[in-house]
Amino acid sequence: MTDTPPNATGPGGVKLQRVEGHSEERFLGSDVFESNARNLPPPNGTGTVREEARDIAIYHECDVAVIGGGPAGCAAAWAAAKAGARVTLVERYNCLGGLSTGGLVMWIDRMTDWQGNHVIQGYARHFIDRMPADGVAGPPREDWGSRDPAKFAYWGNRTTAFHGIVQWAPTLCPERMKLNNQEMLLEAGVRIVFHAFAARPLVQDGAARGVIFESKMGRHALMAKVVVDTTGDGDMFARAGADFDTDIEEGDVHHSMNTGWVLGGVNMDRWIDWKVHHPDELRQFMERGRQELGYFQTPYVSWRPDIALFLGPRQSGLSALDVDDMTEVEIRSHRLMEGHCQFFRRHAPGFENVYSLQSASQLGVRHTRRLAGVGRIERKDWGNGTPVADEVGVSPSISPKFPVISVPYGALVPRNLDGLLVGGRHISCDANSHGFMREIPQCWLTGHAAGVGAALAADKGVQPRAVPVDDIRRVLREQGAHLSDDSAVAAVRAGQAEPVAAK
């Protein structure tokens, strides 16, 4: 897709912007589309109405309330329950997994470092190990970290090899993931509440004490000793008055939205073979698609060779905190699903018998808010090569020139709000670091840590910020998480650690 000219336009004044950042900042170049053409007129409401005060029935009381059942929320709820807490998870949709299931983002990003070491484990590893073999596609364990050109060429076209190195970045069946998340949480003793939209947190004396949620039963309160915000957008901490950041590069792929979809009846091996061996024809194909459809994207592999995944043309200039913008993306995306299906059937090798299979039930949101936390992951620290003093996880870095990234507990703790922790794409980090910390494996990682921190805070009767990090690390290890050696962390605390040269 390198043929996109700067500021090109398509039908309806659609503006195409080529995103091709430095290799250490982005894995794949992508088209980002922006258009001022709207399908609905603006709302015509003016003035205000007053909602009368009323008493709200308490639905349930628990130790830890997890708000949002995406990857971070599932990891948090499971970890907290495994640590002995009474846990309730509130989810607005009818399944667990968030964007990995309802959003069809079934391509799970890298879970290994550049040497092939499995660094994101814990809930993530338990989860994938439980998946049925026919619901997982990706390189075998012995290929992780391989620099063999043939293996890289093969897996690079299947979204699991970057910078000449094969990675553990599997593609998983979304329906199996829904069931797997559900059963893991139920087995751990988590109370799941589906079809419930958390409206606002309950805050008393500067601390979150629960949430108010809406459902078909009406408006109810869920009381908790600790709340974990895993909404992805920071809805709970923002409405509780915690500080947050919103800065992001407007044209960046990480600031765009889309609705994903899958098409069935395809031959992905044939498609990959054609696009690899006919680059000139592929460029012509791409240009024709943009001319006919405006917004255009080629497919990714799925967990099956007869199903193609489209993560939807990435649309910029729209906000996931604005209901009209979200509606606009959905309208465009459902039209584009049918348009892509017909276009690929007419013109793409391997797509002669393609049909529309499923569109995502959840909007593909990459960025809205980021917590202003006690700690922060920042671009300037990527090359340090030493653990942070309050490390609760280890993330793969963005490219081989950087060592792994140490994740601080402080990135999950609000500066000015007690009783609440966060996990997922809205943790405390700068805009650059958000580009990879928002991915599904990192959400599993931070959710896992937040769940353990919340359970220990509830058990000890202290605020989350007061939980000793060594206690959190001990429980994380018991639950299978990968962490830096305690001696390395102790050296950092003592001021004796030396930075490791970036690799």
Side-chain angles (χ1 to χ4, degrees):
M1 294 190 287
T2 58
D3 58 323
T4 306
N7 301 320
T9 58
V14 176
K15 179 181 177 182
L16 284 67
Q17 180 176 5
R18 176 64 184 168
V19 173
E20 187 72 79
H22 299 298
S23 61
E24 71 267 25
E25 296 177 354
R26 302 179 179 92
F27 296 127
L28 299 176
S30 303
D31 285 341
V32 177
F33 301 82
E34 184 173 2
S35 173
N36 292 323
R38 305 296 290 252
N39 286 284
L40 295 175
N44 62 5
T46 59
T48 62
V49 297
R50 179 171 294 275
E51 183 179 10
E52 64 181 273
R54 63 184 185 273
D55 292 329
I56 298 173
I58 295 175
Y59 166 76
H60 192 64
E61 297 183 21
C62 59
D63 296 323
V64 177
V66 178
I67 312 305
C74 288
W78 176 87
K82 285 286 189 179
R86 297 172 300 144
V87 182
T88 300
L89 183 146
V90 177
E91 168 56 43
R92 63 172 167 158
Y93 293 105
N94 69 341
C95 65
L96 299 175
L99 288 182
S100 68
T101 56
L104 296 178
V105 187
M106 62 194 75
W107 165 28
I108 310 302
D109 217 328
R110 300 175 310 111
M111 304 173 70
T112 48
D113 65 16
W114 296 103
Q115 289 72 48
N117 299 308
H118 197 176
V119 297
I120 294 185
Q121 298 195 40
Y123 180 83
R125 181 166 185 173
H126 289 296
F127 179 82
I128 294 179
D129 284 351
R130 285 177 52 122
M131 287 287 290
D134 62 350
V136 181
R141 177 65 184 87
E142 58 268 22
D143 286 351
W144 300 356
S146 173
R147 296 172 182 263
D148 178 82
K151 291 180 178 179
F152 171 75
Y154 180 85
W155 290 112
N157 280 298
R158 289 158 178 82
T159 62
T160 191
F162 310 94
H163 298 295
I165 304 170
V166 178
Q167 301 288 306
W168 179 227
T171 304
L172 309 179
C173 170
E175 290 302 322
R176 301 286 187 76
M177 283 196 283
K178 292 177 184 178
L179 180 61
N180 198 21
N181 279 310
Q182 173 184 294
E183 296 307 300
M184 284 184 68
L185 267 58
L186 291 175
E187 290 171 14
V190 176
R191 181 184 188 89
I192 301 171
V193 185
F194 285 132
H195 302 291
F197 200 116
R200 69 178 181 87
L202 290 168
V203 180
Q204 298 173 1
D205 301 322
R209 304 295 185 188
V211 299
I212 293 174
F213 68 90
E214 296 270 4
S215 73
K216 286 291 187 179
M217 297 193 305
R219 197 167 174 90
H220 283 82
L222 171 64
M223 308 305 295
K225 296 176 181 177
V226 180
V227 174
V228 181
D229 186 340
T230 50
T231 59
D233 301 312
D235 292 337
M236 295 300 100
F237 69 69
R239 292 170 188 170
D243 294 335
F244 57 87
D245 297 314
T246 59
D247 59 303
I248 201 78
E249 183 183 344
E250 287 292 331
D252 196 306
V253 64
H254 302 302
H255 191 238
S256 59
M257 287 192 289
N258 62 275
T259 298
W261 66 79
V262 287
L263 303 181
V266 307
N267 185 332
M268 284 299 290
D269 289 330
R270 183 169 174 232
W271 160 259
I272 291 171
D273 181 76
W274 175 79
K275 75 170 187 173
V276 168
H277 292 99
H278 300 85
D280 291 338
E281 293 180 37
L282 176 63
R283 282 191 288 270
Q284 295 171 10
F285 173 86
M286 292 293 299
E287 181 58 30
R288 185 170 185 177
R290 295 186 185 105
Q291 290 175 354
E292 290 193 17
L293 299 177
Y295 306 87
F296 191 71
Q297 187 201 31
T298 51
Y300 298 101
V301 298
S302 75
W303 77 103
R304 291 173 55 110
D306 58 347
I307 294 177
L309 167 64
F310 289 77
L311 292 181
R314 298 161 175 85
Q315 302 173 46
S316 184
L318 299 164
S319 171
L321 300 178
D322 185 308
V323 69
D324 289 338
D325 283 0
M326 297 168 73
T327 301
E328 180 66 27
V329 175
E330 297 285 14
I331 291 172
R332 294 177 185 177
S333 295
H334 287 95
R335 290 175 177 171
L336 286 165
M337 178 181 178
E338 181 62 20
H340 277 66
C341 185
Q342 294 184 16
F343 181 86
F344 272 74
R345 185 186 298 130
R346 293 194 304 268
H347 303 299
F351 282 76
E352 293 82 1
N353 299 309
V354 68
Y355 58 90
S356 294
L357 182 59
Q358 180 185 8
S359 60
S361 59
Q362 297 185 33
L363 186 63
V365 179
R366 292 170 175 81
H367 180 271
T368 48
R369 309 180 182 99
R370 305 189 313 279
L371 177 73
V374 171
R376 198 168 189 243
I377 301 171
E378 297 185 338
R379 169 67 178 81
K380 66 179 178 60
D381 298 326
W382 291 2
N384 284 353
T386 56
V388 292
D390 59 341
E391 179 188 276
V392 290
V394 176
S395 168
S397 64
I398 199 78
S399 86
K401 68 181 289 186
F402 297 110
V404 293
I405 307 298
S406 182
V407 178
Y409 182 58
L412 317 182
V413 182
R415 293 176 190 165
N416 59 345
L417 176 67
D418 283 323
L420 184 142
L421 288 169
V422 308
R425 71 169 181 258
H426 54 225
I427 67 165
S428 180
C429 61
D430 63 15
N432 277 331
S433 301
H434 177 267
F436 65 93
M437 288 307 300
R438 69 175 176 84
E439 301 290 355
I440 290 166
Q442 284 77 9
C443 290
W444 277 329
L445 183 161
T446 56
H448 190 173
V452 171
L456 294 181
D459 180 62
K460 295 173 183 291
V462 301
Q463 294 301 333
R465 69 181 73 248
V467 178
V469 173
D470 285 343
D471 290 354
I472 298 174
R473 288 170 57 85
R474 173 182 52 79
V475 176
L476 284 170
R477 276 216 174 88
E478 291 172 356
Q479 296 182 356
H482 172 82
L483 298 167
S484 300
D485 290 341
D486 290 341
S487 59
V489 173
V492 171
R493 293 174 183 170
Q496 299 170 351
E498 294 292 333
V500 176
K503 299 178 180 179

